[in-house]
Amino acid sequence: MHSEEVLEQARFIFSSVVMMRDLMFRAQRKSSWFAKRSGLESLTLPQMHAVFAVQARGEVTISQLAEALDVSPPSVSVMVDRLVEKGVLQRRHCKEDRRRVMVCMSPRVDGAMKEFEDTGLTVFAGIVEKIGPETSRKWVEVFEEIRQSLDDGDLVGWEKIFKTQMERRGSMHYTGGRTKSGDVDS
C-alpha cells in the first residue's frame, strides 16, 4: 500500500492532468469548425483514441493499433471499418508487402488533426508563458523523467497495482484492459 504522502501527491498530479485535459477539450469545442470540418464531431471516445493512436504512429497494422489501444484485433478492425466509412481513416496495402494492410489518416482529417495539435500547442504555450521560464524548465525536467520511465516500458507497475485493487474490490474481474469478451466500445 502507498503512503498517504504518495497518494496525496498522486491525487494532486492526477487532478492537474484532468484540468489540463479539460482545458484542451474546451479549447477544441470553442473551435467547433475543427470537428465539423473534419467529420470528427460524431466520433466516440474510443474512436478518438484510435484516431490519435494512428496519427501518432503514421501508418499501422490492425495488430499494431490493437496493441497500442490494448484491445482485441477484431474490435479494432470493426472500429477501423466504421472510421473508414466516415472518411476519417483509410486502409492501404503496404508498399513492401502487398499482403499487409496499413491503416492511416485520411488527408482531410490529417490536416484537421494538425490544426488540433496547433490549438493544443497554443494552449500549452499560454500556460508556459503564465508560469514563467524557471517553472517551465522544472516542468520540462519532470516530464523528461516521466517520459523516460514510460519509455523504459515499466509503467511503474501500474498493471500489478490495478489488478490488486480490482481483486480487493471483488466485484470486478481484471482483464488486462479489456472487457471479458476482449471488446471495447467502437
Side-chain angles (χ1 to χ4, degrees):
M1 191 65 181
H2 300 291
S3 72
E4 275 304 310
E5 181 181 10
V6 167
L7 288 174
E8 190 58 36
Q9 290 171 343
R11 193 173 290 114
F12 180 80
I13 292 167
F14 179 78
S15 66
S16 297
V17 169
V18 168
M19 287 174 65
M20 288 187 290
R21 181 204 62 199
D22 291 348
L23 175 64
M24 291 292 297
F25 286 147
R26 279 194 313 275
Q28 287 309 316
R29 277 194 302 272
K30 289 183 182 190
S31 303
S32 61
W33 51 264
F34 160 75
K36 288 179 183 169
R37 197 175 116 222
S38 62
L40 298 174
E41 64 185 349
S42 64
L43 300 188
T44 65
L45 190 57
Q47 289 172 335
M48 281 303 296
H49 284 288
V51 171
F52 286 128
V54 171
Q55 181 198 25
R57 290 162 180 79
E59 288 190 337
V60 294
T61 64
I62 292 292
S63 296
Q64 290 167 332
L65 185 55
E67 184 177 329
L69 298 173
D70 196 25
V71 296
S72 69
S75 292
V76 169
S77 185
V78 169
M79 187 183 303
V80 167
D81 287 343
R82 290 182 182 155
L83 292 169
V84 167
E85 287 171 12
K86 292 180 179 194
V88 174
L89 297 179
Q90 293 180 337
R91 280 193 162 110
R92 296 184 188 160
H93 288 281
C94 178
K95 293 173 185 164
E96 295 82 32
D97 180 356
R98 300 269 313 144
R99 294 171 294 175
R100 285 182 48 182
V101 177
M102 305 301 291
V103 178
C104 62
M105 304 292 290
S106 74
R108 177 187 62 152
V109 173
D110 193 40
M113 292 302 287
K114 285 180 178 57
E115 291 174 20
F116 179 83
E117 283 182 358
D118 289 346
T119 300
L121 187 57
T122 300
V123 167
F124 274 88
I127 293 171
V128 166
E129 287 176 352
K130 186 171 185 176
I131 65 176
E134 185 178 331
T135 303
S136 296
R137 276 191 289 280
K138 290 177 189 174
W139 194 14
V140 168
E141 289 172 12
V142 167
F143 271 84
E144 284 174 342
E145 287 187 38
I146 291 169
R147 287 176 77 164
Q148 183 60 49
S149 176
L150 295 174
D151 286 344
D152 290 345
D154 176 17
L155 296 180
V156 292
W158 74 269
E159 282 198 352
K160 181 180 177 184
I161 293 166
F162 185 72
K163 181 178 180 181
T164 302
Q165 288 175 340
M166 292 292 99
E167 288 171 349
R168 244 187 253 138
R169 291 182 183 142
S171 61
M172 297 177 67
H173 300 289
Y174 178 69
T175 58
R178 296 183 176 98
T179 64
K180 286 184 182 179
S181 67
D183 296 335
V184 295
D185 178 26
S186 59

